[in-house]
């Protein structure tokens, strides 16, 4: 009886779409709500540093003088505190997975000068 069932399952699987994906050629779509990683729309960033102050992991560094915003993705615990605290709503959680890395790195973004009226809004 068991071998009949096994044979049926084997035959059935020949005509079904495989459960596996041809990774890395095919990628699984990110499930809804996946936090992924932080991205900064630097065109709206005013370098206020609030995100770095609220980050519990010390993953963010804001340098007003050098006009840079940086994140250490290896420290980030994806809590989204910085996203909630940013007064300019320029931070968001990108649901896509970050590429695999063999060495630690930091993402450094240069922040352009904001027009006066945009920075004040
Ligand atoms: S809180 Fe927002 S506006 Fe302020 S430095 Fe961070 S990303 Fe820029
Ligand atoms: S998501 Fe949390 S841990 Fe990651 S940078 Fe933002 S505040 Fe820091």
């Amino acid at each position: 009886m068991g071998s009949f069932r096994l044979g049926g399952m084997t035959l059935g699987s020949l005509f079904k779409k495989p459960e596996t994906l041809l990774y890395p050629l095919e990628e699984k779509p990110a499930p809804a709500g996946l936090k992924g990683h932080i991205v900064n729309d630097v065109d709206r960033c005013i370098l206020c540093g609030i995100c770095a102050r609220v980050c519990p992991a010390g993953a963010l560094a804001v340098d007003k003088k050098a006009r840079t915003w940086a994140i250490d993705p290896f420290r980030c615990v994806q809590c989204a505190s910085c996203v909630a605290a940013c007064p300019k709503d320029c931070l968001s959680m990108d649901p896509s997975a970050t590429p695999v890395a063999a060495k630690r790195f930091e993402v450094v973004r240069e922040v352009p000068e904001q027009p006066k009226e945009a920075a004040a809004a």
Side-chain angles (χ1 to χ4, degrees):
M1 187 69 174
S3 49
F4 277 120
R5 264 178 89 184
L6 188 62
M9 280 166 66
T10 310
L11 267 178
S13 69
L14 289 175
F15 303 102
K16 275 198 290 190
K17 194 176 176 293
E19 296 292 334
T20 50
L21 291 174
L22 282 175
Y23 185 83
L25 299 176
E26 293 174 28
E27 281 192 38
K28 204 173 176 177
L34 187 77
K35 286 181 171 175
H37 61 278
I38 295 285
V39 287
N40 188 355
D41 176 4
V42 287
D43 290 336
R44 285 190 285 153
C45 177
I46 53 168
L47 293 166
C48 64
I50 292 173
C51 54
R53 286 200 288 279
V54 300
C55 177
L60 296 171
V62 178
D63 188 333
K64 221 169 179 161
K65 233 175 168 185
R67 298 203 64 83
T68 56
W69 177 94
I71 182 166
D72 178 346
F74 293 86
R75 279 180 165 247
C76 174
V77 293
Q78 299 170 346
C79 65
S81 300
C82 54
V83 177
C86 176
K88 290 290 173 182
D89 290 329
C90 56
L91 295 176
S92 56
M93 307 291 290
D94 182 334
S96 65
T98 39
V100 176
K103 278 190 183 166
R104 284 189 77 119
F105 64 91
E106 217 186 27
V107 178
V108 182
R109 301 287 318 273
E110 283 183 18
V111 178
E113 289 277 355
Q114 309 293 340
K116 284 244 173 343
E117 60 278 10

PDB file of all heavy atoms in Angstrom, residues 38 51 54-57 59-60 71 75-83 93, ligand 2:
ATOM      1  N   ILE A  38      17.897  49.173   5.631  1.00  0.00           N
ATOM      2  CA  ILE A  38      17.569  50.613   5.654  1.00  0.00           C
ATOM      3  C   ILE A  38      18.104  51.317   4.411  1.00  0.00           C
ATOM      4  O   ILE A  38      19.253  51.112   4.028  1.00  0.00           O
ATOM      5  CB  ILE A  38      18.216  51.266   6.905  1.00  0.00           C
ATOM      6  CG1 ILE A  38      17.614  50.699   8.187  1.00  0.00           C
ATOM      7  CG2 ILE A  38      18.116  52.779   6.872  1.00  0.00           C
ATOM      8  CD1 ILE A  38      16.244  51.197   8.503  1.00  0.00           C
ATOM      9  N   CYS A  51      18.401  60.047  13.786  1.00  0.00           N
ATOM     10  CA  CYS A  51      18.426  58.598  13.529  1.00  0.00           C
ATOM     11  C   CYS A  51      19.597  57.937  14.268  1.00  0.00           C
ATOM     12  O   CYS A  51      19.440  56.881  14.879  1.00  0.00           O
ATOM     13  CB  CYS A  51      18.490  58.316  12.028  1.00  0.00           C
ATOM     14  SG  CYS A  51      19.852  59.164  11.195  1.00  0.00           S
ATOM     15  N   VAL A  54      18.885  57.687  18.078  1.00  0.00           N
ATOM     16  CA  VAL A  54      17.909  56.697  18.555  1.00  0.00           C
ATOM     17  C   VAL A  54      18.335  55.258  18.244  1.00  0.00           C
ATOM     18  O   VAL A  54      17.750  54.317  18.788  1.00  0.00           O
ATOM     19  CB  VAL A  54      16.485  56.932  17.978  1.00  0.00           C
ATOM     20  CG1 VAL A  54      15.955  58.293  18.374  1.00  0.00           C
ATOM     21  CG2 VAL A  54      16.428  56.730  16.473  1.00  0.00           C
ATOM     22  N   CYS A  55      19.321  55.076  17.391  1.00  0.00           N
ATOM     23  CA  CYS A  55      19.716  53.710  16.997  1.00  0.00           C
ATOM     24  C   CYS A  55      20.282  52.953  18.199  1.00  0.00           C
ATOM     25  O   CYS A  55      21.304  53.355  18.761  1.00  0.00           O
ATOM     26  CB  CYS A  55      20.750  53.760  15.879  1.00  0.00           C
ATOM     27  SG  CYS A  55      21.330  52.114  15.424  1.00  0.00           S
ATOM     28  N   PRO A  56      19.643  51.851  18.608  1.00  0.00           N
ATOM     29  CA  PRO A  56      20.133  51.126  19.787  1.00  0.00           C
ATOM     30  C   PRO A  56      21.406  50.325  19.513  1.00  0.00           C
ATOM     31  O   PRO A  56      22.064  49.863  20.446  1.00  0.00           O
ATOM     32  CB  PRO A  56      18.963  50.182  20.114  1.00  0.00           C
ATOM     33  CG  PRO A  56      18.283  49.941  18.807  1.00  0.00           C
ATOM     34  CD  PRO A  56      18.457  51.212  18.012  1.00  0.00           C
ATOM     35  N   ALA A  57      21.746  50.158  18.245  1.00  0.00           N
ATOM     36  CA  ALA A  57      22.890  49.308  17.906  1.00  0.00           C
ATOM     37  C   ALA A  57      24.127  50.110  17.521  1.00  0.00           C
ATOM     38  O   ALA A  57      25.170  49.531  17.213  1.00  0.00           O
ATOM     39  CB  ALA A  57      22.496  48.374  16.758  1.00  0.00           C
ATOM     40  N   ALA A  59      24.540  51.728  14.814  1.00  0.00           N
ATOM     41  CA  ALA A  59      24.830  51.368  13.421  1.00  0.00           C
ATOM     42  C   ALA A  59      24.915  52.570  12.491  1.00  0.00           C
ATOM     43  O   ALA A  59      25.368  52.432  11.361  1.00  0.00           O
ATOM     44  CB  ALA A  59      23.749  50.405  12.906  1.00  0.00           C
ATOM     45  N   LEU A  60      24.474  53.747  12.978  1.00  0.00           N
ATOM     46  CA  LEU A  60      24.413  54.909  12.097  1.00  0.00           C
ATOM     47  C   LEU A  60      25.425  55.970  12.508  1.00  0.00           C
ATOM     48  O   LEU A  60      25.685  56.158  13.705  1.00  0.00           O
ATOM     49  CB  LEU A  60      23.006  55.519  12.128  1.00  0.00           C
ATOM     50  CG  LEU A  60      21.886  54.631  11.593  1.00  0.00           C
ATOM     51  CD1 LEU A  60      20.533  55.256  11.872  1.00  0.00           C
ATOM     52  CD2 LEU A  60      22.055  54.383  10.107  1.00  0.00           C
ATOM     53  N   ILE A  71      25.737  53.877   7.337  1.00  0.00           N
ATOM     54  CA  ILE A  71      25.156  52.772   8.104  1.00  0.00           C
ATOM     55  C   ILE A  71      26.073  51.557   8.022  1.00  0.00           C
ATOM     56  O   ILE A  71      26.618  51.252   6.957  1.00  0.00           O
ATOM     57  CB  ILE A  71      23.723  52.433   7.622  1.00  0.00           C
ATOM     58  CG1 ILE A  71      23.127  51.307   8.477  1.00  0.00           C
ATOM     59  CG2 ILE A  71      23.678  52.073   6.141  1.00  0.00           C
ATOM     60  CD1 ILE A  71      21.632  51.133   8.320  1.00  0.00           C
ATOM     61  N   ARG A  75      25.825  45.876  11.984  1.00  0.00           N
ATOM     62  CA  ARG A  75      25.385  46.227  13.340  1.00  0.00           C
ATOM     63  C   ARG A  75      23.870  46.367  13.407  1.00  0.00           C
ATOM     64  O   ARG A  75      23.268  46.179  14.450  1.00  0.00           O
ATOM     65  CB  ARG A  75      26.002  47.554  13.764  1.00  0.00           C
ATOM     66  CG  ARG A  75      27.410  47.398  14.263  1.00  0.00           C
ATOM     67  CD  ARG A  75      27.955  48.763  14.665  1.00  0.00           C
ATOM     68  NE  ARG A  75      29.132  48.590  15.462  1.00  0.00           N
ATOM     69  CZ  ARG A  75      29.222  48.907  16.744  1.00  0.00           C
ATOM     70  NH1 ARG A  75      28.214  49.442  17.360  1.00  0.00           N
ATOM     71  NH2 ARG A  75      30.315  48.686  17.412  1.00  0.00           N
ATOM     72  N   CYS A  76      23.267  46.773  12.301  1.00  0.00           N
ATOM     73  CA  CYS A  76      21.832  47.071  12.280  1.00  0.00           C
ATOM     74  C   CYS A  76      21.017  45.831  12.654  1.00  0.00           C
ATOM     75  O   CYS A  76      21.244  44.749  12.132  1.00  0.00           O
ATOM     76  CB  CYS A  76      21.435  47.556  10.883  1.00  0.00           C
ATOM     77  SG  CYS A  76      19.660  47.786  10.696  1.00  0.00           S
ATOM     78  N   VAL A  77      20.075  46.019  13.593  1.00  0.00           N
ATOM     79  CA  VAL A  77      19.220  44.911  14.015  1.00  0.00           C
ATOM     80  C   VAL A  77      17.806  45.051  13.427  1.00  0.00           C
ATOM     81  O   VAL A  77      16.890  44.361  13.823  1.00  0.00           O
ATOM     82  CB  VAL A  77      19.149  44.795  15.557  1.00  0.00           C
ATOM     83  CG1 VAL A  77      20.493  44.399  16.117  1.00  0.00           C
ATOM     84  CG2 VAL A  77      18.666  46.100  16.195  1.00  0.00           C
ATOM     85  N   GLN A  78      17.659  45.960  12.486  1.00  0.00           N
ATOM     86  CA  GLN A  78      16.406  46.157  11.742  1.00  0.00           C
ATOM     87  C   GLN A  78      15.200  46.398  12.639  1.00  0.00           C
ATOM     88  O   GLN A  78      14.136  45.841  12.432  1.00  0.00           O
ATOM     89  CB  GLN A  78      16.179  44.963  10.807  1.00  0.00           C
ATOM     90  CG  GLN A  78      17.305  44.860   9.804  1.00  0.00           C
ATOM     91  CD  GLN A  78      17.291  43.590   9.012  1.00  0.00           C
ATOM     92  OE1 GLN A  78      16.602  42.649   9.348  1.00  0.00           O
ATOM     93  NE2 GLN A  78      18.056  43.556   7.951  1.00  0.00           N
ATOM     94  N   CYS A  79      15.423  47.265  13.638  1.00  0.00           N
ATOM     95  CA  CYS A  79      14.332  47.563  14.564  1.00  0.00           C
ATOM     96  C   CYS A  79      13.409  48.656  14.033  1.00  0.00           C
ATOM     97  O   CYS A  79      12.318  48.861  14.543  1.00  0.00           O
ATOM     98  CB  CYS A  79      14.910  47.999  15.910  1.00  0.00           C
ATOM     99  SG  CYS A  79      15.830  49.552  15.808  1.00  0.00           S
ATOM    100  N   ALA A  80      13.880  49.416  13.042  1.00  0.00           N
ATOM    101  CA  ALA A  80      13.119  50.503  12.397  1.00  0.00           C
ATOM    102  C   ALA A  80      12.926  51.726  13.298  1.00  0.00           C
ATOM    103  O   ALA A  80      12.112  52.588  12.974  1.00  0.00           O
ATOM    104  CB  ALA A  80      11.778  50.010  11.857  1.00  0.00           C
ATOM    105  N   SER A  81      13.657  51.831  14.405  1.00  0.00           N
ATOM    106  CA  SER A  81      13.546  53.016  15.265  1.00  0.00           C
ATOM    107  C   SER A  81      13.948  54.271  14.508  1.00  0.00           C
ATOM    108  O   SER A  81      13.345  55.335  14.667  1.00  0.00           O
ATOM    109  CB  SER A  81      14.446  52.880  16.489  1.00  0.00           C
ATOM    110  OG  SER A  81      14.083  51.768  17.234  1.00  0.00           O
ATOM    111  N   CYS A  82      14.984  54.167  13.680  1.00  0.00           N
ATOM    112  CA  CYS A  82      15.442  55.337  12.923  1.00  0.00           C
ATOM    113  C   CYS A  82      14.380  55.778  11.916  1.00  0.00           C
ATOM    114  O   CYS A  82      14.176  56.980  11.716  1.00  0.00           O
ATOM    115  CB  CYS A  82      16.762  55.025  12.214  1.00  0.00           C
ATOM    116  SG  CYS A  82      16.699  53.549  11.178  1.00  0.00           S
ATOM    117  N   VAL A  83      13.702  54.823  11.305  1.00  0.00           N
ATOM    118  CA  VAL A  83      12.647  55.141  10.320  1.00  0.00           C
ATOM    119  C   VAL A  83      11.539  55.929  11.014  1.00  0.00           C
ATOM    120  O   VAL A  83      11.057  56.941  10.506  1.00  0.00           O
ATOM    121  CB  VAL A  83      12.079  53.848   9.680  1.00  0.00           C
ATOM    122  CG1 VAL A  83      10.939  54.169   8.730  1.00  0.00           C
ATOM    123  CG2 VAL A  83      13.181  53.076   8.958  1.00  0.00           C
ATOM    124  N   MET A  93      12.516  50.956   5.116  1.00  0.00           N
ATOM    125  CA  MET A  93      13.028  49.587   5.140  1.00  0.00           C
ATOM    126  C   MET A  93      12.799  48.999   3.753  1.00  0.00           C
ATOM    127  O   MET A  93      11.657  48.792   3.354  1.00  0.00           O
ATOM    128  CB  MET A  93      12.285  48.724   6.164  1.00  0.00           C
ATOM    129  CG  MET A  93      12.211  49.278   7.576  1.00  0.00           C
ATOM    130  SD  MET A  93      13.765  49.326   8.445  1.00  0.00           S
ATOM    131  CE  MET A  93      14.108  47.631   8.745  1.00  0.00           C
TER     132      MET A  93
HETATM  133  S1  LIG B   2      16.853  49.830  11.989  1.00  0.00           S
HETATM  134 FE1  LIG B   2      17.336  50.019  14.205  1.00  0.00          FE
HETATM  135  S2  LIG B   2      19.368  49.130  14.381  1.00  0.00           S
HETATM  136 FE2  LIG B   2      19.056  49.495  12.185  1.00  0.00          FE
HETATM  137  S3  LIG B   2      19.972  51.490  11.803  1.00  0.00           S
HETATM  138 FE3  LIG B   2      17.792  51.831  12.256  1.00  0.00          FE
HETATM  139  S4  LIG B   2      17.695  52.215  14.460  1.00  0.00           S
HETATM  140 FE4  LIG B   2      19.687  51.290  14.033  1.00  0.00          FE
END
